[in-house]
Amino acid sequence: MPDIAPRTRTAFPPPPLVAAALTVAGLVLLVSGATTPQLVTPAKAALALLGLGLLLAGASRLGKLWAGPGFDVVFWSGAAWLLLLGLAIVCLPWLPLAEDRDVASTVAAPVFATPTFTGEHPLGTNAFGLDLLARSLYGARSSLLISLSAVALGTVVGGAIGMVAGYFRNGVDRVVGIATNALLAVPPLILLIALATVLQPHLGNVAFSLSLLTVPGMVRLARATTMAHANREFVVAARAMGATRSRVLLRELLPNVLLPLLSLAVVMISVLIVAEASLSFLGLGIQPPAPTWGNMIAEGEDRVFEEHPHIVLVPGAFLFLTVLAFNIVGEKARGRWDSRSVKL
């Protein structure tokens, strides 16, 4: 038989080197797009987006090589953003930030300064010379504190009502169902505007108003989960052994209801962040000079956004990334802990 010539093999770099190269290249392009003053804004954005895409692609490959094929770079990116934002909020008193709300101390500060990322005002200033980075972080603290408080209150109240309705059923279930449907029949924005006109716009009242948006969904989820477990063997055994109703609810049913409620609560945080920003944008939430993302975006009215787009884009980016991160983390949690489709 004729000799078969050996095939030439093309030498490809090993996967770890390719992943590392993509990560480094993406990081370089991202930093270059953010810090190069010679580029116009569209070119900066395009370069930064290209760098972000390469960075995520490289990080995804590195993560799969390290943790296996189940590594989800989008989930870990969202979790990293929330962790970074949380650390920044906790460390706010010790961060070297410029003034965020005292207009009298920023008389000599530049107004509408554009983002430079390396100067005294990395994300620019507003019409009063207040630093947008400091205002965005303090706004994040207000928005997250309000949203987390509202979700916690709505989860406790709605979860308790739903468990009682799902366990006792009959007349209690009918009354809870009518009340829940009545609350759902009111448009959320109309409800929030009505409450804002009656209550003073401070943190506690805003959190209470927003908590009403979470109660119906929590009631329905807790009721459905309680009904699914009410006749399980461990519940029947507990009742046969003489356990009281409160003990059955707290010791047997609550652990099974809690995880689905917590997974929905993470998703609801993003909904309430947007709702709080909407109220503040309309002037019905936390009032200036205290910063929130909503009233910061409202500063871009009357052609300000056309001339100084960073006034809106900076708080808008914080709002977008935070809501996206909570949605990603929440959906991942719901996929793991609650396989059923729950309609709010």
Side-chain angles (χ1 to χ4, degrees):
M1 294 183 63
D3 294 336
I4 299 176
R7 295 180 181 179
T8 59
R9 295 183 179 180
T10 305
F12 292 99
L17 292 181
V18 175
L22 286 174
T23 304
V24 173
L27 186 60
V28 170
L29 289 177
L30 182 61
V31 173
S32 299
T35 59
T36 305
Q38 291 80 8
L39 296 176
V40 295
T41 301
K44 288 183 178 181
L47 194 61
L49 289 176
L50 177 60
L52 182 61
L54 292 176
L55 180 61
L56 290 177
S60 177
R61 294 192 179 193
L62 287 175
K64 290 179 179 179
L65 290 172
W66 171 65
F71 180 80
D72 188 354
V73 68
V74 178
F75 167 77
W76 286 109
S77 298
W81 169 259
L82 294 179
L83 178 61
L84 183 62
L85 187 63
L87 289 175
I89 292 173
V90 171
C91 299
L92 270 178
W94 301 280
L95 293 179
L97 298 173
E99 181 57 44
D100 67 290
R101 69 185 67 189
D102 187 6
V103 179
S105 63
T106 59
V107 176
V111 297
F112 292 126
T114 57
T116 58
F117 300 101
T118 55
E120 183 181 357
H121 304 286
L123 299 182
T125 61
N126 66 358
F128 302 101
L130 299 174
D131 185 67
L132 289 184
L133 175 59
R135 287 179 63 79
S136 296
L137 291 178
Y138 279 101
R141 185 175 67 177
S142 300
S143 296
L144 291 179
L145 186 58
I146 290 173
S147 301
L148 292 174
S149 301
V151 167
L153 180 60
T155 301
V156 172
V157 174
I161 294 174
M163 288 182 63
V164 170
Y167 185 74
F168 291 97
R169 304 188 184 183
N170 299 323
V172 177
D173 192 20
R174 285 194 292 270
V175 171
V176 171
I178 293 173
T180 303
N181 291 328
L183 190 57
L184 287 172
V186 182
L189 185 59
I190 301 300
L191 175 63
L192 292 177
I193 291 176
L195 290 173
T197 57
V198 176
L199 303 175
Q200 294 294 325
H202 60 74
L203 190 146
N205 287 339
V206 175
F208 169 75
S209 301
L210 293 177
S211 68
L212 296 179
L213 301 183
T214 69
V215 170
M218 295 298 177
V219 169
R220 288 188 168 188
L221 179 58
R223 173 183 175 274
T225 309
T226 302
M227 291 176 65
H229 290 86
N231 295 320
R232 297 284 295 272
E233 295 80 1
F234 60 90
V235 177
V236 175
R239 286 200 294 255
M241 294 175 64
T244 62
R245 292 175 175 177
S246 59
R247 181 180 177 84
V248 172
L249 284 170
L250 294 177
R251 297 293 297 272
E252 308 297 337
L253 293 175
L254 180 59
N256 296 281
V257 176
L258 189 58
L259 286 181
L261 285 181
L262 291 179
S263 62
L264 178 59
V266 178
V267 178
M268 289 301 299
I269 292 174
S270 63
V271 176
L272 297 192
I273 289 175
V274 175
E276 187 277 330
S278 302
L279 284 179
S280 297
F281 179 83
L282 296 173
L284 300 174
I286 304 300
Q287 299 297 307
T292 66
W293 290 333
N295 62 34
M296 289 177 66
I297 294 174
E299 295 177 3
E301 296 178 337
D302 299 330
R303 299 182 62 86
V304 174
F305 175 67
E306 298 179 9
E307 299 176 2
H308 310 283
H310 68 282
I311 295 296
V312 174
L313 294 179
V314 169
F318 273 88
L319 176 63
F320 171 77
L321 291 175
T322 305
V323 170
L324 179 63
F326 271 115
N327 280 333
I328 292 171
V329 174
E331 288 299 328
K332 189 79 169 182
R334 291 186 68 181
R336 180 174 180 180
W337 293 329
D338 183 25
S339 60
R340 295 169 294 116
S341 175
V342 181
K343 293 184 179 180
L344 302 180

